[in-house]
Amino acid sequence: MVPETTEMILGTRNHGKIAEFRSLFKGMQIKLLSFYDFPDVPPVVEDGKTFEENAAKKAKTIAKATGRIAVSDDSGLEVDFLNAVPGVYSARFAGERATDRENARKVLKMLDGVAWEERSARFVCVICAATPKGKTISAEGTCAGTISFEMRGSHGFGYDPILVPDGYQMTMAEMEPELKNSISHRADAMNKFRKVLKGFVQGQKK
């Protein structure tokens, strides 16, 4: 396992993401810090054209600024009927200061009148770790499903109230956190990420 002394900085101020990552890192001997432990680190402008570009930029910038390994992710919703929109613009789909509900409401409005069979979509997550010297690893995960006709559920965050994962009748927001964290795009990415993380960290200590 990764030594207990390994500190990693999670590059987000989103409390929902922090909680999910702490759950997903459970069992790994890592001291997980966040932006709240480094209030002087400025926000990173997410101007990449892909989830991977954004995740790598955040991780590299934070690692260089703090001198520690940084872990960051970029994630969002891709709706097939909308040609993979909102994609990398998921967090600000309805405007720079839009709330999660406003973003979800915009997707529902754009799909108004669209049949269930044409509402296929997926959550995508890319997790990236970077060292202060700029070396990176990354992993991508997905969770496929269908966009519901209305917002349902009070758990989770983001677009969770409007995505019904394949094989379920509940939206992500109607699921208990334990279930969601076992099938989510972030869990899928983390399962792949964990497999390469140990070697990555050990390689930095040589």
Side-chain angles (χ1 to χ4, degrees):
M1 294 295 291
V2 178
E4 284 188 41
T5 53
T6 300
E7 289 187 345
M8 293 188 184
I9 301 171
L10 186 58
T12 183
R13 289 186 173 85
N14 183 308
H15 289 286
K17 280 190 180 183
I18 292 172
E20 283 192 13
F21 267 105
R22 290 195 186 283
S23 175
L24 293 170
F25 268 107
K26 190 175 182 179
M28 300 186 73
Q29 297 177 13
I30 293 172
K31 184 177 181 181
L32 194 61
L33 307 174
S34 75
F35 266 155
Y36 292 103
D37 297 294
F38 298 87
D40 294 331
V41 176
V44 181
V45 178
E46 299 178 35
D47 54 2
K49 295 182 180 180
T50 65
F51 294 118
E52 186 168 4
E53 286 181 8
N54 283 333
K57 180 180 180 181
K58 286 189 284 185
K60 287 180 180 179
T61 301
I62 296 164
K64 185 175 181 180
T66 62
R68 292 172 172 80
I69 293 175
V71 178
S72 186
D73 86 313
D74 193 35
S75 56
L77 177 70
E78 294 181 341
V79 181
D80 292 326
F81 188 83
L82 303 179
N83 297 314
V85 168
V88 294
Y89 303 103
S90 293
R92 54 189 184 280
F93 191 43
E96 287 296 330
R97 298 182 180 277
T99 65
D100 288 349
R101 293 187 68 82
E102 288 170 340
N103 287 328
R105 195 176 294 119
K106 181 174 180 178
V107 170
L108 291 178
K109 185 176 181 179
M110 293 177 74
L111 292 179
D112 187 35
V114 176
W116 178 261
E117 294 76 13
E118 298 182 87
R119 301 171 76 92
S120 58
R122 71 203 51 79
F123 280 137
V124 179
C125 173
V126 175
I127 301 174
C128 181
T131 69
K133 293 183 179 180
K135 184 178 179 180
T136 64
I137 55 168
S138 63
E140 179 176 319
T142 60
C143 179
T146 303
I147 300 298
S148 59
F149 292 108
E150 60 185 1
M151 284 187 272
R152 302 186 341 233
S154 58
H155 297 298
F157 61 96
Y159 295 89
D160 286 352
I162 65 170
L163 186 86
V164 179
D166 289 346
Y168 294 86
Q169 295 183 333
M170 299 179 288
T171 67
M172 295 285 268
E174 291 178 297
M175 295 178 174
E176 292 299 324
E178 293 78 12
L179 175 57
K180 176 194 170 181
N181 288 343
S182 70
I183 67 169
S184 74
H185 51 310
R186 197 162 289 111
D188 185 30
M190 179 59 77
N191 287 335
K192 299 169 184 174
F193 185 71
R194 288 166 66 109
K195 294 177 181 179
V196 296
L197 181 60
K198 178 181 176 181
F200 179 73
V201 173
Q202 290 179 338
Q204 309 316 305
K205 295 181 176 295
K206 294 180 179 179

